[in-house]
Amino acid sequence: MLSNLLRNNEAWAQRMEQERPGFFKVLSAQQTPDYLWIGCSDSRVPANEIVGLLPGEIFVHRNIANQVIHTDLNCLSVLYYAVEYLKVKHIIVCGHYGCGGVKAAMENGDYGFIDNWLRHIKDTYQLNVEELQQLDEPARFDRLCELNVIRQVQHVSQTKVVQRAWQQGRELAIHGWTYAIEDGRIRDLHVDINSQEQIAAIYQLPPLAK
């Protein structure tokens, strides 16, 4: 029933092998990406393509509205594997303008089970309510998309695996970006974190025992 997708795959594989002979043989032997991408599940935001990277060059985790929640074992497992075993050097949290999850969180609708997930974005809204209420609706929506990314960058920095990597002297930086579907461009929010000293004291782990 999905024969068109299978045909597309065959054509893609043939094209890749013609353009880069031996590509799949090399790819199957190892995975050594420098980047972990934490993004939204939105089908319009393909991580590899919008940054011009090939398969194998970026490790990807996606969920609704690019959340990093300290009780989400799925996301935390991906983060642990990327930092501890793949030794990535950059963690990119990338949201996007027009995010459906962020939009739903701004409303008072009943979305069933997903309301439990959206609650975290509502919390971000409430933490920044004074700033957001000064904006008109379109600007408020865009700004909440950005604030959501900023908060997830903070959440990544507060994890044990990231802080331990810094304590071990590892090169590791966290970045916050937003993507505009309308023009395909990425905006750097300039909220980079690359050391434990940039984290609020309450979240800092004690030094490693000597």
Side-chain angles (χ1 to χ4, degrees):
M1 294 177 63
L2 300 177
S3 57
N4 60 319
L5 298 185
L6 296 175
R7 287 195 299 270
N8 290 346
N9 167 254
E10 183 176 357
W12 173 78
Q14 291 177 351
R15 185 173 67 253
M16 287 295 295
E17 189 61 30
Q18 290 173 355
E19 295 174 356
R20 297 171 178 268
F23 173 77
F24 291 108
K25 183 176 181 180
V26 173
L27 190 65
S28 65
Q30 61 181 346
Q31 179 180 214
T32 57
D34 285 331
Y35 313 96
L36 167 63
W37 176 282
I38 300 176
C40 183
S41 298
D42 194 302
S43 60
R44 299 168 296 175
V45 191
N48 284 67
E49 293 185 29
I50 65 176
V51 290
L53 293 179
L54 293 170
E57 294 183 321
I58 189 166
F59 197 59
V60 178
H61 174 77
R62 296 169 70 175
N63 60 47
I64 295 174
N66 42 270
Q67 298 289 288
V68 180
I69 300 169
H70 67 273
T71 54
D72 179 9
L73 297 183
N74 186 352
C75 181
L76 295 179
S77 296
V78 171
L79 181 61
Y80 184 87
Y81 185 77
V83 174
E84 190 69 17
Y85 291 97
L86 296 179
K87 309 294 185 185
V88 298
K89 296 179 181 178
H90 300 275
I91 301 170
I92 301 163
V93 179
C94 187
H96 67 98
Y97 299 110
C99 179
V102 173
K103 181 65 173 177
M106 293 177 66
E107 301 169 350
N108 295 107
D110 184 349
Y111 296 97
F113 181 76
I114 198 175
D115 286 336
N116 299 282
W117 191 259
L118 299 178
R119 171 65 182 272
H120 299 281
I121 308 172
K122 289 180 179 289
D123 291 342
T124 299
Y125 186 104
Q126 189 59 30
L127 286 170
N128 298 276
V129 65
E130 292 185 7
E131 174 188 350
L132 291 168
Q133 286 185 340
Q134 295 177 22
L135 305 173
D136 60 22
E137 183 65 24
R140 186 183 308 145
F141 184 17
D142 286 349
R143 183 55 179 159
L144 185 56
C145 291
E146 296 172 351
L147 290 170
N148 179 50
V149 168
I150 293 168
R151 193 168 192 211
Q152 307 322 309
V153 167
Q154 294 169 349
H155 287 173
V156 172
S157 72
Q158 295 159 6
T159 61
K160 183 175 182 179
V161 66
V162 167
Q163 292 192 55
R164 289 303 187 215
W166 284 330
Q167 290 179 349
Q168 294 164 4
R170 294 260 310 278
E171 178 186 349
L172 181 61
I174 311 163
H175 315 275
W177 294 353
T178 48
Y179 173 72
I181 296 172
E182 293 82 0
D183 62 12
R185 300 298 180 89
I186 291 172
R187 177 183 177 186
D188 186 349
L189 298 178
H190 300 290
V191 290
D192 311 271
I193 301 177
N194 55 26
S195 72
Q196 192 177 30
E197 289 70 29
Q198 294 175 262
I199 306 172
I202 191 64
Y203 299 110
Q204 292 185 14
L205 293 178
L208 288 168
K210 296 181 179 180

